[in-house]
Amino acid sequence: MQNMLTLRPLPASEEETPVDWSSNPHRITDPQALEALYGKPGQASVVKEVDYIHPHYRAFIEAAPFAVLATAGPDGLDASPRGDPAGFVVVEDEKTLLLPDRRGNNRVDSLRNIVADPRVALLFMVPGVGETLRVHGRAAILVDPPLLERFAVDGKAPRTVLAVRVESVFFQCSRALIRSRLWQPDAQREPASLPSLGTVLQELSKSAIDGVQYDRDLPGRLQTTLY
């Protein structure tokens, strides 16, 4: 169990005023200003993008145990983590990806967005590899029983499967992961150095949720509700 950290709310006199960027004279507001600042992309940045899943890109997807799913809807944007053993996103063909929606918190923010706007983006990551893979396309939410059974784990099928029609695929170079040192062992943080989930929930719920009990129960609950 992680230690409960006490979060001290700021007194009214110390509360920060949100920054208003709308009138900032150094704000960039048009594509021409961006291009003047950054210049045109290099040849490698252009030729790496294709509208299908190239065999090399397929190898990356099949090696990835983790992806971030980005969606957009009437209430705003969402980026949601997705993870399972490597290959959990199935390359059905060179234009189609299948992604099971595993058990979660039932907010279904991503799915609500897809119902309203099918556009999605996926960022695939492979532990130890600096490059990432970006996929853009349009998703459909499927509940076809045979399809759900294909993705069953321990006899438990997902409630839905996303079928993503691929429109754009390209890899991202490793600069971001090199700068962040994400995969470096000495860069790992001790979980106890940050507020635990129980601490956050107790604070935000004004003690309606017992944070200590939540943290105590969480490891067992995660193991029994992964699928």
Side-chain angles (χ1 to χ4, degrees):
M1 181 183 70
Q2 298 177 0
N3 295 329
M4 293 288 289
L5 303 179
T6 301
L7 304 180
R8 182 182 67 86
L10 288 173
S13 60
E14 297 181 30
E15 290 182 356
E16 297 180 355
T17 301
V19 177
D20 180 11
W21 301 108
S22 60
S23 59
N24 190 304
H26 301 289
R27 179 185 177 201
I28 291 178
T29 58
D30 60 77
Q32 292 74 24
L34 275 178
E35 186 170 312
L37 180 63
Y38 284 93
K40 293 186 179 297
Q43 181 184 21
S45 297
V46 176
V47 301
K48 68 183 180 182
E49 182 177 0
V50 294
D51 62 358
Y52 66 98
I53 303 168
H54 186 279
H56 293 328
Y57 289 162
R58 176 173 188 152
F60 196 103
I61 292 170
E62 292 178 342
F66 182 82
V68 177
L69 171 67
T71 58
D75 296 324
L77 307 176
D78 185 70
S80 177
R82 294 290 190 268
D84 241 333
F88 76 103
V89 176
V90 171
V91 181
E92 188 75 345
D93 56 55
E94 67 176 17
K95 293 289 288 185
T96 309
L97 295 178
L98 299 177
L99 169 60
D101 190 67
R102 298 297 184 195
R103 188 167 179 173
N105 55 21
N106 287 339
R107 286 179 55 107
V108 295
D109 297 307
S110 300
L111 301 185
R112 291 181 191 277
N113 282 349
I114 291 170
V115 167
D117 185 338
R119 294 176 300 166
V120 299
L122 285 159
L123 178 70
F124 290 93
M125 303 177 73
V126 178
V129 176
E131 288 73 27
T132 56
L133 190 72
R134 297 165 62 174
V135 177
H136 302 138
R138 295 175 185 268
I141 304 171
L142 305 180
V143 292
D144 182 47
L147 179 62
L148 299 182
E149 283 303 315
R150 282 180 58 185
F151 292 92
V153 175
D154 295 334
K156 299 176 181 178
R159 292 183 180 177
T160 61
V161 170
L162 292 182
V164 179
R165 184 70 173 173
V166 172
E167 298 176 348
S168 169
V169 189
F170 58 97
F171 73 84
Q172 185 77 34
C173 78
S174 59
R175 290 188 184 91
L177 270 70
I178 291 174
R179 290 191 293 258
S180 69
R181 304 184 69 248
L182 183 65
W183 304 131
Q184 300 304 311
D186 64 343
Q188 306 305 301
R189 291 282 298 270
E190 286 293 333
S193 68
L194 297 172
S196 69
L197 292 180
T199 299
V200 175
L201 288 170
Q202 180 166 312
E203 186 84 18
L204 296 180
S205 71
K206 303 187 186 314
S207 297
I209 294 175
D210 183 334
V212 173
Q213 186 64 47
Y214 186 93
D215 286 337
R216 184 182 297 124
D217 295 342
L218 183 59
R221 185 164 61 250
L222 288 175
Q223 288 302 313
T224 59
T225 60
L226 281 180
Y227 297 98

